[in-house]
Amino acid sequence: MSSRNLRSELRPPSARGWLWWLPLAAVLVDLAAELIVRGREPVSFMLIAVPALAAATRGPRGTALSAVVCLGLQMWMAARRPGHFDEQHHVAMYVATSLIGIASIALARQRERTRQHLIRANSVAEAMQRTLLRPVPRRLGPVRAAGFYEAGEGGTLVGGDLYDVCETPFGVRAIIGDVRGKGLDAVQTVAAVLGSFRVSAHEWQNLSSLAERLELSIARNSPVGGDGDPELFVTALVLEFPPEGGEVHIVDRGHPPPVVIGPQGARRLVTAPGLPLGLGAMAPGTVDTTVHLLKPSDVLLLHTDGVSEARNADGVFYPVLERLGERFSGRRVIDPETVVSFVRSDAERWSTQSDNDDRAVLGLALEPDGLKPSRHAGS
């Protein structure tokens, strides 16, 4: 859920919503019934529920006003029938309305406190999201970029997917990853990996060494003791667009390979996958870096499995290559923002409401004037 959607859920109900009008409608129905029966039958008992209805949409003052109005109407209706104003059943109704009104005022006050608490918590979550997952710049050096992130669990802003793009002395570098874990441990791991990347990407010239540094950050920031998630690790792609241009370097730590989209359609790049970050100790050694040539018309799409594993109503996974190929095949000019926007909307239409995985997508492309002859062969 986006921060805009969450904020809208936390706003007070709109004055045009049917629930807001329900207490007034109940009062009007009761008055209409009173006029129809002309006091021959007691109908004022229906007003007992109005303060409770008001507490669902109004604050303490509005709820108190509804209780006073209903109590006054009940007394007026009883007074219209001789001998009924102080009759035992009517007195009991007055007491019940008063008690329900008092309880409704307390509920309205508690609801307001809870709403304010949620708004404050949402503000903190938004600040955390802006810190961890910063907006993707439209351009860094010779690289055009776009991206988005959606947490799979409703009502949250930060989950287990991560990405970042930064300009370094070694070229523009990017990372996308997916934490295989849950809860606060996953968020802590996201913070550790992104924090390490934002520092180490400027310090380590070798891309494989940079990935090893990220792995070290996971070990150093793992929860102390036996309460941590034993299955916590991170699949990731680390990319570099060197200053000489014309190519991309990729270190694959167990993540879905990038998709290159161009006039000829969409295809996945060949990478040399290694173990995910956090599991490198199981097979020590340097993970190979693959090099691919890029054309001016190519857009690289990086995504987490929240996109590729989204299922439709028939249980079919979202066909990333097929959908991208159908949409962009034959187009000479493709920009990352268009590709990312298409994947976001198309995957959302494809998936069912039962999908609850995070989704992160990055689109990257070289500016035509940032391309230079490459010294490497493509993979």
Side-chain angles (χ1 to χ4, degrees):
M1 177 180 292
S2 68
S3 60
R4 180 181 301 177
N5 291 337
L6 187 56
R7 282 196 301 268
S8 66
E9 288 188 0
L10 296 177
R11 294 193 191 106
S14 170
R16 299 180 181 179
W18 67 270
L19 189 60
W20 193 92
W21 290 102
L22 192 56
L24 179 59
V27 172
L28 293 177
V29 168
D30 195 80
L31 287 174
E34 173 68 17
L35 294 176
I36 292 173
V37 300
R38 297 182 180 180
R40 293 190 300 270
E41 298 292 337
V43 295
S44 57
F45 67 90
M46 291 190 296
L47 296 173
I48 295 176
V50 170
L53 295 176
T57 56
R58 290 163 173 78
R61 291 183 180 180
T63 303
L65 178 61
S66 70
V68 171
V69 169
C70 289
L71 186 61
L73 287 175
Q74 287 173 341
M75 292 181 177
W76 172 74
M77 292 179 185
R80 296 185 67 198
R81 304 173 65 196
H84 284 260
F85 181 82
D86 56 353
E87 194 264 337
Q88 182 178 2
H89 295 294
H90 284 81
V91 172
M93 181 177 61
Y94 306 152
V95 173
T97 302
S98 301
L99 293 177
I100 291 176
I102 294 171
S104 298
I105 293 169
L107 288 174
R109 183 178 292 110
Q110 180 61 36
R111 183 181 60 81
E112 285 291 305
R113 283 198 294 261
T114 301
R115 187 176 67 87
Q116 292 298 326
H117 174 74
L118 289 175
I119 291 175
R120 289 192 295 270
N122 179 55
S123 299
V124 172
E126 284 188 272
M128 180 183 296
Q129 185 187 45
R130 288 193 296 268
T131 301
L132 294 181
L133 301 174
R134 297 180 296 200
V136 178
R138 298 189 66 177
R139 179 165 178 168
L140 295 93
V143 176
R144 292 172 292 152
F148 80 88
Y149 169 79
E150 291 180 346
E153 187 174 351
T156 62
L157 296 177
V158 180
D161 285 1
L162 59 94
Y163 64 80
D164 201 8
V165 186
C166 61
E167 190 171 9
T168 74
F170 317 110
V172 175
R173 288 178 165 178
I175 184 174
I176 190 167
D178 187 353
V179 179
R180 302 298 184 179
K182 56 186 178 180
L184 294 178
D185 287 349
V187 176
Q188 180 178 341
T189 302
V190 167
V193 173
L194 287 178
S196 178
F197 174 79
R198 288 164 183 167
V199 174
S200 302
H202 296 265
E203 298 176 346
W204 294 82
Q205 182 174 1
N206 184 277
L207 205 59
S208 294
S209 299
L210 171 59
E212 292 173 5
R213 188 70 178 179
L214 300 180
E215 175 139 21
L216 181 61
S217 71
I218 296 178
R220 287 178 173 176
N221 290 276
S222 295
V224 179
D227 297 333
D229 188 345
E231 299 180 357
L232 194 67
F233 59 87
V234 184
T235 66
L237 291 174
V238 185
L239 288 80
E240 176 184 284
F241 298 85
E244 57 267 23
E247 63 192 27
V248 60
H249 301 178
I250 305 172
V251 170
D252 184 351
R253 297 301 296 264
H255 198 79
V259 178
V260 60
I261 304 133
Q264 304 304 317
R267 60 184 175 87
R268 288 201 180 273
L269 295 179
V270 177
T271 60
L275 289 176
L277 301 175
L279 300 180
M282 299 175 61
T286 301
V287 178
D288 293 335
T289 300
T290 55
V291 181
H292 291 266
L293 296 178
L294 290 179
K295 299 177 182 178
S297 56
D298 289 340
V299 173
L300 283 183
L301 181 78
L302 318 177
H303 65 83
T304 58
D305 60 12
V307 174
S308 56
E309 295 183 1
R311 297 173 184 262
N312 63 9
D314 298 324
V316 179
F317 289 121
Y318 179 70
V320 179
L321 295 180
E322 178 182 334
R323 302 292 286 184
L324 288 171
E326 292 175 357
R327 177 66 176 82
F328 296 104
S329 180
R331 295 185 57 174
R332 294 185 178 181
V333 180
I334 307 172
D335 64 89
E337 189 171 351
T338 301
V339 173
V340 168
S341 178
F342 168 76
V343 172
R344 183 174 194 170
S345 58
D346 195 49
E348 185 174 345
R349 286 192 299 266
W350 179 276
S351 63
T352 63
Q353 294 298 323
S354 60
D355 287 330
N356 58 356
D357 200 3
D358 299 340
R359 296 176 186 173
V361 172
L362 274 180
L364 304 167
L366 287 172
E367 288 282 5
D369 57 4
L371 297 174
K372 297 180 181 179
S374 174
R375 301 170 298 168
H376 301 273
S379 299

